[in-house]
């Protein structure tokens, strides 16, 4: 397997900025090792599939990046999600909190508005993802998940625990995905 | 400590002496371990990228003698992480040594 074939496998599905950086480093590595690019490079570089897997854990794929930056197939009304998360949903929750005095709705408003403030300076793609996720988590925690629990017929006293565990799990996954997005955006913005 | 963590520690230890580019890091690991440890490019660069994303190393592309190389250097945070990893490693070595016993 020559260098070009190795690189094609290693950078498969990765965005151009990430692939470019890997390619530059790999070619420099082979040059320093005095290893011809047309020889079998696996002895020096290792398994391309394992490297591709390692890079996918660090970075989003080109398709995933396109989805988070453009909205992918759900592009219609994509920018609406920021308005929903930053204004419409907090306004509904605030109205609900004032009308019925539900403390949890007030807490939801506080979480959403804090989220809007904290994500203000982020890259637009990360900001949109964070606001959308926060909105979904708050609404799920307040409404959807307790209703799902209710359907099970188990004691409602455990509903907040169930909702919180699900929200923590989803938030944890989102943090990991956000770290991949942050790295990918850095690599894409730094590409030559 | 798994092999991934070991590689991270070795990279940080190499960069503690001076900033290096990828190939030089791989060579330093091989030379210092007398050929016992090797870091193939395929695992080395994803590890370097991950360390950089965590702020433990930083990198910059530099041109030297007509060749462009990305040079990695240890950050202050990386230095602290290395000190912790070293402490953990030495504890493990002492523990395994105590269990294995044998001639001193």
């Amino acid at each position: 397997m020559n260098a070009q074939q190795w690189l094609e496998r290693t950078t498969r599905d990765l965005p151009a900025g990430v692939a470019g950086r890997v390619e530059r480093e790999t070619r420099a590595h082979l040059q320093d090792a005095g290893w011809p690019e047309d020889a079998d490079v696996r002895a020096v570089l290792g398994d391309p599939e394992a490297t591709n897997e390692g890079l996918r854990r660090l970075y989003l794929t080109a398709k995933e990046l396109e989805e988070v930056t453009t909205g992918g197939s759900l592009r219609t009304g994509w920018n609406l999600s920021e308005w929903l998360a930053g204004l419409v949903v907090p306004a509904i929750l605030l109205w609900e909190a004032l009308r019925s005095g539900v403390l949890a709705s007030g807490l939801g408003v506080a979480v959403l508005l804090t989220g809007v403030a904290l994500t203000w300076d982020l890259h637009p793609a990360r900001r949109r993802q964070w606001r959308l996720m926060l909105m979904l988590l708050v609404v799920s925690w307040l409404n959807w998940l307790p209703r799902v629990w209710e359907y099970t017929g188990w004691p409602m006293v455990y509903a907040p625990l169930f909702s919180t565990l699900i929200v923590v799990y989803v938030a944890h996954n989102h943090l990991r995905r956000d770290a991949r997005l942050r790295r990918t955006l850095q690599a894409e913005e730094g590409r030559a | 400590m798994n092999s991934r963590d070991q590689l991270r520690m070795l990279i940080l230890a190499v960069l503690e002496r001076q900033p290096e580019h990828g190939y030089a890091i791989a060579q330093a690991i091989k030379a210092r371990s007398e050929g016992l440890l090797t870091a193939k490019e395929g695992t080395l660069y994803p590890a370097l990228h991950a360390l950089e994303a965590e702020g433990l190393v930083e990198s910059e592309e530099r041109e030297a003698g007509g060749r462009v190389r990305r040079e990695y250097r240890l950050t202050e945070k990386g230095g602290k992480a290395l000190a912790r990893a070293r402490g953990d490693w030495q504890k493990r070595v002492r523990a395994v040594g105590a269990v294995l016993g044998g001639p001193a």
Side-chain angles (χ1 to χ4, degrees), chain A residues 28-188:
Chain A
H29 192 101
L30 288 171
Q31 206 176 20
D32 289 336
W35 200 269
E37 288 196 9
D38 52 358
D40 189 345
V41 295
R42 279 174 297 187
V44 181
L45 304 179
D47 177 16
E49 301 301 333
T51 311
N52 181 261
E53 206 180 300
L55 291 168
R56 277 167 185 254
R57 273 197 292 271
L58 286 174
Y59 302 105
L60 295 183
T61 63
K63 194 178 172 193
E64 287 171 325
L65 182 64
E66 193 194 340
E67 276 173 11
V68 296
T69 51
T70 67
S73 55
L74 296 170
R75 194 168 306 177
T76 312
W78 182 238
N79 291 322
L80 202 64
S81 61
E82 279 201 71
W83 285 100
L84 276 173
L87 196 65
V88 179
V89 173
I92 293 170
L93 290 176
L94 186 62
W95 179 74
E96 201 175 289
L98 292 174
R99 186 178 59 97
S100 56
V102 178
L103 183 67
S105 298
L107 190 67
V109 176
V111 168
L112 281 178
L113 294 182
T114 305
V116 168
L118 290 175
T119 55
W120 199 266
D121 289 330
L122 291 184
H123 185 285
R126 288 184 66 208
R127 189 174 62 216
R128 196 180 299 121
Q129 292 293 307
W130 267 112
R131 290 181 179 179
L132 189 61
M133 183 52 64
L134 275 175
M135 179 182 71
L136 291 173
L137 289 179
V138 166
V139 174
S140 301
W141 191 80
L142 287 173
N143 294 311
W144 299 338
L145 291 171
R147 281 182 197 170
V148 168
W149 185 259
E150 203 176 347
Y151 283 125
T152 65
W154 287 323
M156 279 308 284
V157 70
Y158 297 116
L161 179 66
F162 165 73
S163 303
T164 304
L165 285 175
I166 299 284
V167 163
V168 167
Y169 174 74
V170 175
H172 172 72
N173 280 344
H174 181 71
L175 273 171
R176 289 176 61 180
R177 191 179 162 86
D178 180 63
R180 286 172 69 217
L181 173 59
R182 179 170 45 79
R183 283 179 215 129
T184 312
L185 290 169
Q186 277 171 358
E188 289 303 289

Side-chain angles (χ1 to χ4, degrees), chain A residues 6 21-22 24-26 28-29 31-33 42-46 51 54-55 58-59 182-183, chain B residues 21-23 26 40-47 49-50 52-53 59 61 67-70 72:
Chain A
W6 191 91
R21 178 172 169 179
V22 172
R24 286 195 297 278
E25 288 188 314
T26 302
H29 192 101
Q31 206 176 20
D32 289 336
R42 279 174 297 187
V44 181
L45 304 179
T51 311
L55 291 168
L58 286 174
Y59 302 105
R182 179 170 45 79
R183 283 179 215 129
Chain B
H21 53 83
Y23 180 72
K40 287 236 167 76
E41 197 268 4
T43 50
L44 178 66
Y45 289 102
H49 291 201
E52 188 176 9
S59 76
E61 282 191 339
R67 290 176 166 192
V68 178
R69 295 288 179 272
R70 183 172 285 272
Y72 292 87

Side-chain angles (χ1 to χ4, degrees), chain B residues 15-83:
Chain B
L15 294 177
E16 189 184 30
R17 287 193 184 175
Q18 62 186 52
E20 296 282 13
H21 53 83
Y23 180 72
I25 295 170
Q27 289 304 104
I29 290 172
K30 195 174 174 182
R32 284 203 222 167
S33 67
E34 295 174 348
L36 202 65
L37 303 172
T38 54
K40 287 236 167 76
E41 197 268 4
T43 50
L44 178 66
Y45 289 102
L48 280 167
H49 291 201
L51 289 169
E52 188 176 9
E54 290 167 37
L56 303 182
V57 304
E58 54 192 14
S59 76
E60 193 182 5
E61 282 191 339
R62 288 173 181 271
E63 194 178 334
R67 290 176 166 192
V68 178
R69 295 288 179 272
R70 183 172 285 272
E71 195 176 81
Y72 292 87
R73 67 175 63 236
L74 194 69
T75 62
E76 199 184 322
K77 192 178 167 188
K80 286 177 186 168
L82 174 62

